[in-house]
Amino acid sequence: MANLTNNKSILDWIGEKVELVTPDNIVWIDGSEEQLEALRAEACQTGEMIKLNEEKLPGCYLHRTKPNDVARVEDRTLICTPTEEEAGPTNHWKEPSECYKMLYDIARGTYKGRTMYVIPYSMGPIDSPFAKFGIELTDSIYVVLNMAIMTRVGKAVLDKIGDSDEWIRGFHAKCDVDPEKRWIVQFPQDNTIISVNSAYGGNVLLGKKCFALRIASYLGRNEGWMAEHMLILGIENPQGETKYVCAAFPSACGKTNLAMLIPPEGYRKKGYKVFTVGDDISWLNIGPDGRLYAINPENGFFGVAPGTNEKSNFNALESTKKNTIFTDVCHNLEDNTVWWEGLTKDRPVKADDWKGNPWPLDSKEKGAHPNSRFTAPTVNCPCLSPEFENPQGVPISAIVFGGRRAKLAPLVYQSRDWNHGVFVGSAMASETTAAAAGAVGVVRSDPMAMLPFCGYNMADYWGHWIEMGKKLGDKAPKIFNVNWFRKDSEGNFMWPGFGDNLRVLDWIIARCDGKVDAKETEIGYVPYAEDINIEGLEGEVSIDSLNEMLSVDKELWVEDTKRIQELYDKFNGRVPAELVECHETLKKNVQ
Ligand code: GTP
Ligand code: SPV
Ligand code: MN
């Protein structure tokens, strides 16, 4: 097939990789529907994908990964900066030249009998001044089809790149999907990503976590912007004014759900509306008016399937009704559709589980993997923001941090100022989830929900946040922390969550507008219970339990300051003084 560009840096790089992996064919992804349709047909023929019921789920497919390959692998994710210090104590590191050698030895010859797909893609609307471009090489049709949903792919991207060598090199090889030889590697100084022996999600859709967070966070520090693991949503009030909020929660902690929330009935009746700009990643730049603006660099949603239903997230479910790829969900054989835990009360009687085995009615196993996902085009989302394609992005009023904390963190609180907000982000912790391989439910530090995604030394990343705050001055968004996951003594969630989270966002916006008072506590500003609107929640949330959710248990906080200290100690004095000072204040306050 003819080259789609004359760009020498691209052709040379592809040439090197062709020599290394020796594919039978090379196919350039031009972005045309005909080409993608042919690839879908091919993937169905080889069994890589299953075509689902065309009436009920038009254009939808099911894909199963190997059971050893169902989530990101954080201990096999490397940041290969020239020195270990640059990667910092929270990243895994290997010396770059040794690492290239290791990866090339693993990948050598593995495209034999396979096709090399060349995917030119854009992160961000192609004509946005903030868009960045990449090329991913892969031997997986599944990767091509996912990238075609998650990003803007095709010839137009190559035209944009032109003769430039400013593009991100992404090289993926499935190899034997051997977990012992699986590596997801970022070389920030070389604008390069290499992924071997996986075929799952964030490990292989290189535009997503590898580029849009790890490489982009590094670029952002050098260029004066930020790449964050944040959703972006707009809230329109009854007067027709829209305010935008970014929120960073760790993986599988509620970003997609919050981004697409449906206002509770009382709010809907008053005329409140919520719009989704993004559900996972924000690129934040300072605009000409000095405010912080966010674009969503992605073009699709790679969302957690389990728990998604008409009631919990109607908009996400709607988004998956056409042109969607489902990964590791249960196959409903009654009507050739899909199912996952929480979709409906009853499971399908006749079904294959996520591994493709018959799923007997008395099975104790799950039908869908807990980290099973849908890859859905953003255009499918009923509440997609009209600003989604705005090349300048949307102005951000508030930044919200949050995680799963059964006890400690109150439902919501506000930081005292920007630097204290950066401290609150740096001190985040959350119970681990199925989004990454390893134990689930263990509290671990996850600063800014970026622990697995920061492409350089996390202490320097905090320093960059402090610098951004200086540039933004009094135009900086206000910073908050939320916790939808507080549990009572019986282990039940105390807050109903989902759509009702708008009640908390309502308070946050009111704080940004200076329209509501708050109580100054040891940890920051906490709402007066009566300022959280619980109208319509009768029987679910009382003022008493709200007060409990908003309480600060000093003993628990003393424990938490020890965890923060342990985290900070890892950085050998590199943590910005502003954050150390906030931590000292917290220690004194909760003593
Ligand atoms: P990634 O795509 O991995 O980054 O995850 P995410 O942050 O987008 O998480 P998502 O919205 O997919 O939610 C993950 C899980 O959290 C789902 O099982 C939801 O049911 C659950 N969840 C989301 N929001 C809430 C909430 O407000 N309350 C409770 N109790 N659970 C929630
Ligand atoms: C996450 O784990 O935060 C995800 C899914 O959004 S993945 O693309 O696999 O990283
Ligand atoms: Mn995510």
Side-chain angles (χ1 to χ4, degrees), residues 209 229 249-258 279-280 302-304 306-308 371 373 404 435 484-485 493 495-498 501:
K209 298 305 168 59
H229 193 197
F249 310 153
S251 302
C253 290
K255 288 183 300 300
T256 301
N257 277 274
L258 191 68
D279 82 322
D280 199 51
F302 187 62
V304 177
T308 306
N371 193 37
R373 301 255 169 181
R404 292 178 184 259
W484 316 138
F485 298 94
F493 289 123
W495 179 248
F498 301 99
N501 293 334

Side-chain angles (χ1 to χ4, degrees), residues 240-353:
E241 301 154 346
T242 305
K243 294 269 159 76
Y244 295 92
V245 174
C246 279
F249 310 153
S251 302
C253 290
K255 288 183 300 300
T256 301
N257 277 274
L258 191 68
M260 298 181 191
L261 78 80
I262 293 190
E265 198 185 339
Y267 279 87
R268 276 205 308 274
K269 281 197 176 139
K270 278 189 222 149
Y272 280 87
K273 287 182 192 146
V274 167
F275 296 102
T276 309
V277 181
D279 82 322
D280 199 51
I281 299 177
S282 299
W283 283 1
L284 300 156
N285 283 273
I286 299 178
D289 62 356
R291 294 186 67 190
L292 194 62
Y293 283 73
I295 64 160
N296 170 11
E298 302 191 279
N299 202 27
F301 308 116
F302 187 62
V304 177
T308 306
N309 61 51
E310 217 145 284
K311 195 160 169 284
S312 68
N313 196 343
F314 173 84
N315 290 315
L317 194 62
E318 276 301 300
S319 305
T320 67
K321 297 244 164 108
K322 58 180 184 208
N323 305 330
T324 292
I325 300 172
F326 297 92
T327 301
D328 294 338
V329 299
C330 169
H331 191 189
N332 182 347
L333 297 173
E334 288 161 23
D335 57 357
N336 189 26
T337 58
V338 288
W339 191 84
W340 48 76
E341 278 67 21
L343 175 63
T344 52
K345 201 166 113 285
D346 297 318
R347 55 155 281 181
V349 174
K350 200 161 161 270
D352 282 343
D353 69 10

Side-chain angles (χ1 to χ4, degrees), residues 226-241:
M226 305 161 90
E228 299 296 334
H229 193 197
M230 291 178 177
L231 67 92
I232 312 162
L233 92 174
I235 302 167
E236 185 184 316
N237 70 14
Q239 292 75 51
E241 301 154 346

Side-chain angles (χ1 to χ4, degrees), residues 481-492:
N481 193 88
V482 299
N483 179 18
W484 316 138
F485 298 94
R486 195 130 154 181
K487 288 183 176 169
D488 63 18
S489 49
E490 270 126 58
N492 304 308

Side-chain angles (χ1 to χ4, degrees), residues 6 35 39 52 139 143 158 171 217-218 231 235 245 316 387 404-405 440 442 449 471 488 514 516 539 556 563 570 577:
N6 294 319
Q35 187 186 38
L39 289 172
L52 296 165
D139 52 351
V143 167
L158 290 169
F171 167 54
S217 61
Y218 175 83
L231 67 92
I235 302 167
V245 174
E387 299 298 311
R404 292 178 184 259
R405 296 306 295 267
V440 169
V442 185
K471 287 191 199 155
D488 63 18
V516 63
L556 290 177
R563 177 193 56 79
K570 288 189 190 167

Side-chain angles (χ1 to χ4, degrees), residues 554-591:
K554 286 212 237 174
E555 250 170 69
L556 290 177
W557 279 89
V558 169
E559 281 309 304
D560 213 49
T561 59
K562 293 180 192 161
R563 177 193 56 79
I564 300 166
Q565 190 63 53
E566 258 175 52
L567 172 69
Y568 279 14
D569 284 348
K570 288 189 190 167
F571 292 90
N572 294 323
R574 210 167 167 130
V575 176
E578 293 86 345
L579 302 191
V580 173
E581 197 185 307
C582 286
H583 189 222
E584 292 307 317
T585 306
L586 177 65
K587 281 197 256 185
K588 258 185 251 133
N589 286 352
V590 297
Q591 217 167 56

